[in-house]
Amino acid sequence: MRIIKLSILTCLMAIIIGCQSDDDATTVVLEAPSNVSVLVSVTQDNTGLATLTPLAEGATRFNIDFGDGSEIATDIPQGESVTHIFEEGIYTATVEAFGLDEQSTTITQEIQVAFQAPENLVVTIENDETISKQVNVSASADFALGFEVDFGQDGSEPVAGNDGDTVSFIYDEAGIYTITVTAFSAAIETLTFTEEFEVTEILQPIAPTPTPTRPAENVIAIYSDAYDAITTNEFPTSWSNSGFAELEINGNSFINYSNLAFTGIVTDYDNPTDLTEMEFVHFDYWSLEASSLSFKIVNTVVDPVQEDIASAGDITLGEWVSVDIPLDDFNVDRSQITQLLFDTLGNTATVFIDNIYFYRVPDNNTAFDDGLLVNGDFENGSAPWLIGVDDNSSAPVVTVDGNTYYSVDVTTAGQPFSVNVSQKLEIIQDETYILTFDAWSNVNRSIIAGIGLSGGDFSNTNETVNINPSITTYSLTLTANGFGAPDARVLFDLGAEVGIVNIDNVSLIVDPGNLLTNGDFEAGSDSWIIGVDDSNPAPVVTVDGNTYYSVDVTAAGNAFDVNVSQKLEIIQDETYTLTFDAWSDVNRSIIAGIGLSGGDFSNTSETVNITTEIITYSLTLTATGFGALDARVLFDSGAEVGLVNIDNVVLSINE
């Protein structure tokens, strides 16, 4: 596959929030002010004396044209007000907000000055749907210029707004409050509305639980969207003392146990669950009222029945809390577990639960290889990862299930570089690198990943990568065409789309080259064969000028029934990295690896789950106990139906 890598100008400095590019020349600029408005109040004495307070994000000063033909007020500093006397009438005021570089944003706002008392006051009072104990009030009235809201909490000041606006207030406690809305014009008389309003507290989660990141092969899942759960015969059991319902936030399901005293889960009495290789039980909880929460495991196969219970620890209210309890805390034969229970130990409470699973922490005697980077797996926190190129910043990281990774929630779409994480390091001009990383999100969205300069014209080489809620390893081949510096950087630009972006296990190495021939299939079937038959060329297609391997598996059978291979020398006990792009018309799996082309066909391989998206996969494979001059790279695709497309295959020896 021929890929043209575009060098874009990614401008990120401590105060730089925008960039422009024209024929490879860069002009660094600041964005114009945003969210420009003006708050208008007027004395209720029939004089028409108004106070105007301009507001904006990123502004340093303002000009105001009052719309009545009078002299324009200029150079009003941010945070200050200006007064003006209006005759009775309706005016269109113009507010111009200026930023640091004199870029400006202009808005118009209608100002009604009436020496007549407001009439027909319409008020809307609502509890906010996402912020607990926040109340939003909007008000409008004929002849009104604005309004004030007394929210009725002792010690709080009234909140002002323009006619038709919405103002908000967060209460200390839920309850009944007297809310008074006063609409005013330029007249002495005002119009008042009063309502006894019940302020409510949000009683359930409004955000999904963190996505678990433990490898599926180390997990036995009972309930989680992130893993395939084992069979459960009763969930909940008939003898549970709680309500049960499933809820969903952003596609993530979780359990609502209402009035929970105790609740049970039966896995499978006929096929008990063997937890002997597991080390911890994990679950996430959310509650506003629980004073205690414990987890019990039961072995009903032995006689007498064995059971033990362990506490979730001190309870934190009003947020998702992750719990990990060592299974060694349970004095039970864990080889035949049939029942699991949550217990509030006599204190009934509504509790929300998600991500119930058991897991082990595999032995790992080798540290993560981040190549030229430092702390590529984020296990040491943020350092030396930065926001943009600001050496005084620290990239945001989170720790979930004992794994630390970069995580940011992009709530407003803007320029890609407006949300960024970088690490500075030396990049050598015209050198080719391989950037590998894990990434996932709570939505389907794209990010930009690459290498580039941390100053000057910010030259870089990057690629757009489509990520999704599945943790996926991506591998990019990037050449520093025409740029290099001791303080260059690896960069991820994330601001163009909304959604959480999680990044982990980032590695950058110098490209060791490709041991394969025609790995991008641009020479057609050359060197690629079906199975081990040298006279049987592999099927390829050309679409939009790009050639790649493609086969449609119409009947499922043995995985090796449908195969593509390339023969080459594999050195016994050597470790290799195999990267490739793969996609299908369905979600299905394939097997990829290295192995012999004869004899006992010894091989090292992995099962890879591919989707309808083109994704780059990277496997580390060791030729344990085998090697030959005519060994091979292999892809077995016959076990499931559906198209299999493969492109950009690279095999390299690990240094």
Side-chain angles (χ1 to χ4, degrees):
M1 179 178 182
R2 296 187 179 92
I3 297 178
I4 300 174
K5 298 180 176 66
L6 301 177
S7 293
I8 67 169
L9 303 171
T10 304
C11 307
L12 277 166
M13 300 175 65
I15 62 170
I16 295 172
I17 53 176
C19 74
Q20 296 176 336
S21 176
D22 182 17
D23 295 330
D24 294 330
T26 302
T27 303
V28 178
V29 298
L30 296 171
E31 290 183 349
S34 59
N35 297 326
V36 182
S37 64
V38 58
L39 180 64
V40 184
S41 62
V42 66
T43 57
Q44 286 83 59
D45 56 5
N46 293 335
T47 65
L49 178 61
T51 300
L52 293 84
T53 306
L55 306 166
E57 296 178 11
T60 59
R61 63 182 181 87
F62 301 86
N63 292 346
I64 299 179
D65 182 342
F66 300 103
D68 59 357
S70 61
E71 183 179 353
I72 296 174
T74 60
D75 296 329
I76 305 166
Q78 173 82 287
E80 296 191 11
S81 304
V82 63
T83 59
H84 184 73
I85 296 176
F86 289 93
E87 299 292 331
E88 189 172 23
I90 299 175
Y91 304 93
T92 300
T94 302
V95 180
E96 187 173 14
F98 295 87
L100 282 172
D101 64 346
E102 293 302 292
Q103 281 198 92
S104 65
T105 301
T106 300
I107 60 107
T108 59
Q109 182 165 314
E110 184 177 285
I111 298 175
Q112 179 176 230
V113 179
F115 299 143
Q116 182 175 346
E119 298 178 358
N120 303 319
L121 177 60
V122 177
V123 175
T124 301
I125 305 176
E126 296 177 321
N127 284 293
D128 194 273
E129 293 182 355
T130 60
I131 303 176
S132 186
K133 295 176 286 187
Q134 175 171 305
V135 171
N136 305 320
V137 176
S138 62
S140 62
D142 296 341
F143 310 113
L145 182 63
F147 64 95
E148 279 190 346
V149 182
D150 182 346
F151 283 91
Q153 178 173 286
D154 291 342
S156 64
E157 296 293 329
V159 180
N162 293 326
D163 185 65
D165 284 352
T166 299
V167 298
S168 301
F169 181 79
I170 299 177
Y171 287 84
D172 294 335
E173 300 292 340
I176 305 295
Y177 293 85
T178 302
I179 296 178
T180 302
V181 180
T182 302
F184 58 85
S185 64
I188 296 173
E189 297 85 1
T190 59
L191 184 59
T192 300
F193 172 90
T194 300
E195 180 177 327
E196 297 294 307
F197 185 80
E198 182 178 5
V199 178
T200 60
E201 189 171 15
I202 292 176
L203 300 177
Q204 67 180 53
I206 59 175
T209 52
T211 301
T213 60
R214 298 191 179 279
E217 61 267 24
N218 299 325
V219 170
I220 295 176
I222 306 301
Y223 183 92
S224 177
D225 288 335
Y227 304 109
D228 292 331
I230 64 171
T231 299
T232 52
N233 294 155
E234 297 182 51
F235 197 162
T237 61
S238 59
W239 41 263
S240 294
N241 189 354
S242 71
F244 177 92
E246 271 197 294
L247 304 179
E248 183 179 293
I249 298 176
N250 295 338
N252 177 70
S253 300
F254 57 98
I255 302 167
N256 175 13
Y257 288 120
S258 56
N259 298 315
L260 171 64
F262 61 86
T263 186
I265 302 168
V266 171
T267 56
D268 189 341
Y269 286 127
D270 295 327
N271 184 27
T273 304
D274 184 358
L275 298 178
T276 54
E277 293 188 6
M278 299 293 107
E279 299 175 87
F280 295 88
V281 61
H282 172 97
F283 56 88
D284 298 305
Y285 75 82
W286 192 104
S287 181
L288 285 175
E289 54 189 359
S291 58
S292 64
L293 182 64
S294 295
F295 185 80
K296 180 185 291 187
I297 61 176
V298 184
N299 182 336
T300 62
V301 178
V302 296
D303 187 16
V305 170
Q306 294 182 0
E307 62 180 53
D308 202 359
I309 191 167
S311 171
D314 294 337
I315 300 299
T316 300
L317 301 179
E319 63 184 64
W320 282 113
V321 178
S322 293
V323 176
D324 296 274
I325 304 174
L327 290 180
D328 285 344
D329 289 358
F330 299 88
N331 185 22
V332 175
D333 176 1
R334 302 202 301 265
S335 65
Q336 302 180 90
I337 299 302
T338 52
Q339 293 180 1
L340 312 169
L341 290 88
F342 287 100
D343 198 325
T344 57
L345 300 181
N347 299 300
T348 59
T350 295
V351 182
F352 302 86
I353 296 287
D354 196 5
N355 295 324
I356 310 169
Y357 61 84
F358 301 91
Y359 69 92
R360 64 171 178 260
V361 179
D363 292 332
N364 187 4
N365 296 322
T366 60
F368 170 71
D369 183 8
D370 44 22
L372 302 173
L373 298 173
V374 176
N375 190 31
D377 59 2
F378 298 93
E379 290 307 312
N380 292 323
S382 295
W385 293 96
L386 311 173
I387 298 173
V389 294
D390 182 2
D391 293 329
N392 295 316
S393 66
S394 296
V397 298
V398 298
T399 301
V400 178
D401 291 343
N403 178 45
T404 302
Y405 53 89
Y406 171 86
S407 184
V408 66
D409 188 0
V410 183
T411 57
T412 302
Q415 296 287 355
F417 47 78
S418 63
V419 181
N420 168 278
V421 60
S422 295
Q423 182 176 144
K424 293 182 180 179
L425 76 163
E426 182 177 14
I427 296 292
I428 299 172
Q429 182 172 326
D430 299 326
E431 185 68 85
T432 298
Y433 298 85
I434 295 177
L435 175 63
T436 305
F437 57 94
D438 297 338
W440 67 103
S441 177
N442 61 333
V443 296
N444 294 333
R445 56 153 296 165
S446 66
I447 65 175
I448 292 174
I451 55 175
L453 299 183
S454 61
D457 66 0
F458 292 93
S459 294
N460 66 81
T461 300
N462 69 78
E463 292 187 20
T464 298
V465 176
N466 295 315
I467 66 174
N468 55 58
S470 298
I471 301 172
T472 304
T473 301
Y474 302 89
S475 183
L476 311 180
T477 301
L478 306 164
T479 301
N481 290 320
F483 65 87
D487 63 346
R489 59 181 178 145
V490 163
L491 63 96
F492 296 91
D493 288 340
L494 319 169
E497 300 178 39
V498 298
I500 294 173
V501 176
N502 304 307
I503 297 173
D504 199 2
N505 299 325
V506 187
S507 173
L508 186 74
I509 63 172
V510 175
D511 184 7
N514 192 358
L515 299 175
L516 297 172
T517 300
N518 188 33
D520 59 4
F521 296 93
E522 290 305 317
S525 298
D526 180 34
S527 300
W528 292 98
I529 58 176
I530 296 174
V532 294
D533 183 355
D534 295 330
S535 63
N536 198 354
V540 297
V541 297
T542 301
V543 178
D544 294 333
N546 176 45
T547 302
Y548 53 88
Y549 169 83
S550 183
V551 65
D552 189 4
V553 182
T554 58
N558 296 313
F560 52 78
D561 289 341
V562 181
N563 168 278
V564 62
S565 295
Q566 182 175 144
K567 293 182 180 179
L568 76 163
E569 182 181 11
I570 296 293
I571 301 171
Q572 182 173 323
D573 298 326
E574 186 67 81
T575 299
Y576 297 83
T577 297
L578 175 63
T579 64
F580 57 94
D581 296 339
W583 67 104
S584 177
D585 58 343
V586 295
N587 292 336
R588 55 153 298 164
S589 67
I590 63 173
I591 294 173
I594 56 176
L596 300 182
S597 61
D600 63 1
F601 291 94
S602 295
N603 67 81
T604 300
S605 62
E606 292 187 19
T607 299
V608 177
N609 295 314
I610 66 175
T611 70
T612 56
E613 295 185 25
I614 301 174
I615 295 176
T616 302
Y617 301 90
S618 181
L619 311 180
T620 300
L621 306 165
T622 301
T624 304
F626 65 86
L629 293 173
D630 63 346
R632 59 179 177 147
V633 163
L634 62 95
F635 296 92
D636 290 338
S637 310
E640 300 178 39
V641 298
L643 276 173
V644 174
N645 304 310
I646 297 173
D647 200 359
N648 298 322
V649 188
V650 176
L651 185 73
S652 58
I653 294 179
N654 288 10
E655 297 294 333

